[in-house]
């Protein structure tokens, strides 16, 4: 039907955050809460999404259409959360997925910056969201950067 679902991606690769530190855990928690909050807003407004998050050694993709799905995924996410996993910003063959990719991350890695550029060149829309406390100038090398406040609200970074 040509309908594409937005991808909401949780990237917990702790590039330079010590996950043993309370602050590292807190930041991971923040991007999880932020991504689930956006997911919830989407489904309550009738927008089905793909939610992509790290599970046991692989990225798990769930298609989410109802608030019940969001609750179920919240539990799954915390249960299966494991370290960094690779994900793609390319359109997968034969899927309804995305020309919109929304990536919640702790830091903009070279890989993420390159993937965002490449995906944008192909006509996709890539938004990268990072907790405001972790943002630095280098992170602004992605096409569209948003900052996440502690209350899960977002604002556009102005470069």
């Amino acid at each position: 039907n040509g309908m594409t679902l937005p991808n909401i991606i949780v990237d917990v690769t702790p590039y330079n955050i010590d996950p043993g530190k309370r602050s590292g855990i807190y930041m991971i928690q923040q991007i999880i809460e932020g991504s689930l909050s956006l997911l919830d807003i989407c489904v309550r407004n009738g927008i089905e999404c793909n939610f992509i998050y790290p599970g046991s050694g692989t990225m798990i993709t769930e298609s989410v259409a109802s608030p019940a799905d969001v609750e179920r995924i919240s539990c799954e996410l915390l249960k299966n959360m494991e370290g960094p996993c690779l994900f793609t910003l390319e359109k997968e063959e034969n899927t309804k997925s995305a020309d919109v990719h929304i990536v919640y991350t702790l830091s903009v890695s070279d890989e993420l910056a390159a993937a965002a550029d490449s995906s944008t060149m192909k006509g996709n829309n890539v938004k990268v969201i990072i907790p405001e406390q972790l943002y630095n100038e280098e992170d602004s090398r992605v096409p569209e950067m948003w900052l996440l406040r502690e209350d899960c609200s977002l604002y556009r970074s102005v470069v």
Side-chain angles (χ1 to χ4, degrees), residues 133-149:
Q133 310 90 303
L134 297 180
Y135 175 73
N136 64 47
E137 289 299 300
E138 268 178 35
D139 292 325
S140 61
R141 58 204 167 131
V142 294
E144 192 177 328
M145 184 78 182
W146 291 75
L147 305 184
L148 176 66
R149 294 191 181 97

Side-chain angles (χ1 to χ4, degrees), residues 45-152:
N45 286 286
I47 302 166
E48 195 180 329
C49 297
N50 291 316
F51 190 69
I52 300 169
Y53 63 94
S56 317
T58 175
M59 288 302 265
I60 296 169
T61 301
E62 300 246 18
S63 125
V64 184
S66 74
D69 291 338
V70 178
E71 280 181 32
R72 181 177 52 76
I73 286 172
S74 308
C75 302
E76 291 292 308
L77 185 61
L78 297 169
K79 215 167 49 195
N80 298 325
M81 192 63 136
E82 279 191 18
C85 297
L86 299 172
F87 58 90
T88 174
L89 296 178
E90 300 304 320
K91 187 166 171 42
E92 291 179 29
E93 292 306 308
N94 311 323
T95 58
K96 285 195 290 187
S97 83
D99 3 41
V100 178
H101 302 280
I102 302 165
V103 182
Y104 279 79
T105 189
L106 299 171
S107 166
V108 177
S109 63
D110 293 343
E111 293 80 5
L112 177 55
D117 272 345
S118 154
S119 186
T120 302
M121 296 288 280
K122 294 180 177 146
N124 296 316
N125 188 332
V126 180
K127 301 174 191 312
V128 175
I129 298 172
I130 193 169
E132 60 183 351
Q133 310 90 303
L134 297 180
Y135 175 73
N136 64 47
E137 289 299 300
E138 268 178 35
D139 292 325
S140 61
R141 58 204 167 131
V142 294
E144 192 177 328
M145 184 78 182
W146 291 75
L147 305 184
L148 176 66
R149 294 191 181 97
E150 291 196 28
D151 64 2
C152 290

